């Protein structure tokens, strides 16, 4: 065998480790406000993938304990790392490695998101279709609507985890929480400058970027106007192309009409799975247009039809909450019985008079199981 013939094989074996090494050579960054646990690399079992949603994990980018490369010098390792990442989807920082694991996303939505047949279908088709389009006309804009605890943040985290190997900690992903990042209306002009700068710098670093706006209904109208150009039909803005970006807006607006439609179906003896996207979306759009809660409902994003899909999250019933409780026990490798699951569910508050929907969704489930531990 030729002297250099083993180098490609070495790169194949060491590739994932090398790109990780590039990211680890930097000093540790402080965690961003509101950021959750990093994503799990594709290929891990579904049970491990879901575990991060219930309990914090160690730094995902940390390599296996005890591994070392004594044969390869540090300088040579850095050269190999840069060379390998130039062929893969790595940023120069090593943090925005793109995975686009649609199979993993589909599996997680199917197994870990309960009671949301509409959200599962719409989100998977929208994200997959967008990523498979060679040249998108505009950035993908999805707006999640529903009560607190129904899975909006849960799904946003899933998307980040499966599109980027470092999940929410990727340099490609930015999370903005309205009342945390933009608390004072009098500083909206300053916020606009900062927001535009962050969006621009993120996309220049990583062409496929993900921006998540939690509590979108509380965003100032000026901030929504600042976001609008980046999701519009422009080839570029200041020579930067934003058409490969994804924008997620999470909002409680529309929760009332979503719940009412779901309740009407139940009272009519019809299964919630019979609710169609076409039927519910027209009701949701109407409530958004009539809403007086914040500027989101009356922003240019809605008026100019720049939101590609309004994704409804239905209220959760007893059976769905019970599945969440089961997942919480499994995530912590704790034993459970059907009786224990039922006991935890009985601690939750259900409304309206029929006691049909969980008032908190699955939000406090992971803490409530502590009451039943020895």
């Amino acid at each position: 065998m030729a002297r250099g013939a083993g180098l490609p094989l070495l790169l194949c074996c060491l590739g994932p480790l090398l790109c990780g090494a590039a990211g680890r050579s930097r000093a540790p960054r402080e965690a961003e406000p509101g950021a959750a646990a990093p994503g799990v690399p594709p290929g891990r079992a579904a049970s491990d993938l879901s575990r991060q949603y219930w309990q914090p994990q160690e730094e995902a980018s940390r390599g296996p304990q005890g591994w070392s490369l004594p044969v390869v010098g540090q300088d040579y390792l850095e050269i190999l790392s840069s060379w390998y990442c130039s062929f893969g989807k790595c940023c120069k920082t090593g943090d925005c490695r793109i995975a686009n694991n649609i199979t993993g996303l589909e599996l997680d939505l199917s197994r870990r998101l309960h009671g949301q047949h509409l959200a599962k279908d719409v989100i998977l088709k929208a994200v997959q279709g967008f990523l498979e389009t060679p040249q998108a006309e505009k950035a993908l804009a999805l707006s999640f609507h529903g009560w607190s605890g129904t899975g909006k943040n849960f799904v946003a985290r899933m998307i980040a985890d499966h599109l980027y190997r470092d999940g929410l900690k990727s340099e490609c992903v930015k999370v903005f929480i309205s009342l945390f990042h933009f608390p004072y209306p009098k500083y909206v002009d300053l916020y606009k400058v900062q927001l535009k700068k962050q969006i621009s710098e993120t996309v220049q670093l990583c062409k496929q970027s993900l921006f998540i706006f939690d509590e979108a209904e509380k965003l100032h109208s000026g901030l929504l106007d600042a976001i609008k150009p980046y999701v519009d039909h422009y080839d570029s803005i200041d020579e930067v192309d934003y058409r490969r970006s994804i924008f997620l807006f999470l909002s409680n607006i529309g929760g009332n009409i979503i719940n009412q439609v779901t309740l009407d179906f139940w009272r009519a003896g019809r299964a919630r799975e019979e609710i169609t996207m076409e039927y519910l979306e027209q009701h949701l759009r109407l409530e958004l247009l009539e809403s007086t809660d914040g500027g989101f409902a009356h922003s240019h994003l809605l008026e100019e039809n720049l939101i590609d899909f309004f994704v409804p999250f239905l209220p959760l019933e007893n059976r769905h909450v019970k599945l969440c409780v089961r997942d919480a026990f499994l995530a912590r490798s704790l034993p459970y019985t059907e009786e224990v699951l039922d006991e935890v569910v009985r601690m939750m508050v259900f409304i309206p008079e029929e006691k049909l929907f969980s008032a908190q969704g699955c939000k406090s489930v992971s803490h409530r199981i502590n009451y039943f531990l020895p």
Side-chain angles (χ1 to χ4, degrees):
M1 181 182 292
R3 185 174 183 179
L7 185 56
L9 178 60
L10 176 63
L11 288 175
C12 289
C13 296
L14 300 182
L17 181 61
L18 293 175
C19 269
R24 292 193 299 274
S25 63
R26 301 178 297 116
R29 295 184 294 110
E30 291 185 3
E32 293 182 346
V40 179
R44 188 173 292 180
S47 60
D48 291 332
L49 281 170
S50 65
R51 189 165 298 168
Q52 64 190 293
Y53 307 133
W54 298 103
Q55 62 185 62
Q57 293 267 341
E58 294 278 338
E59 184 76 10
S61 60
R62 187 176 301 163
Q65 295 296 321
W67 281 45
S68 61
L69 296 171
V71 179
V72 184
Q74 183 62 35
D75 292 340
Y76 192 36
L77 179 60
E78 293 296 332
I79 294 173
L80 287 177
S81 174
S82 300
W83 186 24
Y84 177 87
C85 288
S86 69
F87 291 99
K89 295 181 178 180
C90 303
C91 289
K92 60 185 178 181
T93 62
D95 275 349
C96 30
R97 296 168 293 166
I98 298 175
N100 287 347
N101 182 11
I102 294 298
T103 301
L105 177 60
E106 181 179 15
L107 187 63
D108 238 5
L109 287 171
S110 174
R111 295 188 177 183
R112 301 300 174 187
L113 180 64
H114 306 301
Q116 305 298 351
H117 69 285
L118 294 176
K120 289 178 183 179
D121 186 55
V122 174
I123 291 169
L124 183 64
K125 289 181 178 178
V127 173
Q128 183 174 11
F130 177 73
L131 295 178
E132 292 177 352
T133 301
Q135 184 59 63
E137 295 182 358
K138 61 181 289 295
L140 178 63
L142 303 179
S143 190
F144 297 174
H145 298 271
W147 262 0
S148 177
T150 53
K152 301 186 299 294
N153 282 280
F154 188 58
V155 172
R157 191 177 303 123
M158 276 189 195
I159 293 173
D161 289 336
H162 290 293
L163 297 194
Y164 307 95
R165 296 183 185 178
D166 299 313
L168 288 174
K169 288 194 174 181
S170 169
E171 294 287 353
C172 293
V173 181
K174 296 298 177 186
V175 179
F176 301 98
I177 305 172
S178 297
L179 295 182
F180 183 84
H181 292 96
F182 318 111
Y184 305 111
K186 64 181 178 179
Y187 296 129
V188 66
D189 289 335
L190 174 62
Y191 296 150
K192 287 168 63 175
V193 173
Q194 294 174 338
L195 180 58
K196 289 180 178 179
K197 184 173 183 290
Q198 279 205 284
I199 292 176
S200 177
E201 290 180 348
T202 302
V203 174
Q204 289 182 65
L205 176 66
C206 187
K207 194 171 184 179
Q208 181 188 301
S209 296
L210 174 64
F211 302 98
I212 302 171
F213 294 88
D214 196 9
E215 301 177 340
E217 74 275 7
K218 298 180 177 67
L219 283 172
H220 191 280
S221 58
L223 291 173
L224 292 166
D225 290 340
I227 297 170
K228 184 253 179 187
Y230 304 113
V231 297
D232 211 333
H233 297 75
Y234 296 120
D235 291 347
S236 65
I237 301 173
D238 295 332
E239 301 182 353
V240 179
D241 187 353
Y242 295 89
R243 291 175 295 177
R244 297 308 309 175
S245 303
I246 299 175
F247 289 78
L248 304 181
F249 300 93
L250 283 52
S251 173
N252 291 336
I253 295 181
N256 291 336
I257 191 62
I258 293 171
N259 297 348
Q260 188 60 54
V261 168
T262 310
L263 183 60
D264 290 344
F265 267 68
W266 182 83
R267 286 173 173 170
R270 302 176 64 183
R272 62 193 280 139
E273 287 75 19
E274 294 182 49
I275 302 174
T276 64
M277 188 66 185
E278 293 76 17
Y279 180 80
L280 189 51
E281 189 175 28
Q282 62 180 336
H283 289 80
L284 180 56
R285 282 179 177 270
L286 183 61
E287 176 162 320
L288 290 175
L289 292 174
E290 295 176 350
S291 174
T292 58
D293 187 6
F296 180 73
H298 304 284
S299 67
H300 290 295
L301 294 174
L302 271 67
E303 291 176 357
E304 300 185 26
N305 297 311
L306 296 177
I307 301 296
D308 297 295
F309 293 97
F310 294 92
V311 184
F313 283 74
L314 308 182
L316 300 182
E317 299 175 14
N318 180 298
R319 55 194 170 111
H320 306 125
V321 177
K322 186 174 180 178
L323 291 172
C324 291
V325 176
R326 180 206 63 186
D327 290 348
F329 274 99
L330 291 175
R332 294 166 62 175
S333 300
L334 296 173
Y336 66 88
T337 63
E338 290 295 317
E339 291 74 18
V340 169
L341 299 185
D342 291 332
E343 281 294 322
V344 177
V345 173
R346 277 195 286 270
M347 293 177 63
M348 310 291 284
V349 178
F350 287 83
I351 56 176
E353 59 269 17
E354 294 92 341
K355 305 299 180 183
L356 181 63
F357 303 139
S358 171
Q360 304 142 291
C362 287
K363 205 156 202 174
S364 63
V365 161
S366 60
H367 295 298
R368 287 179 182 268
I369 67 173
N370 293 328
Y371 180 79
F372 295 89
L373 300 181

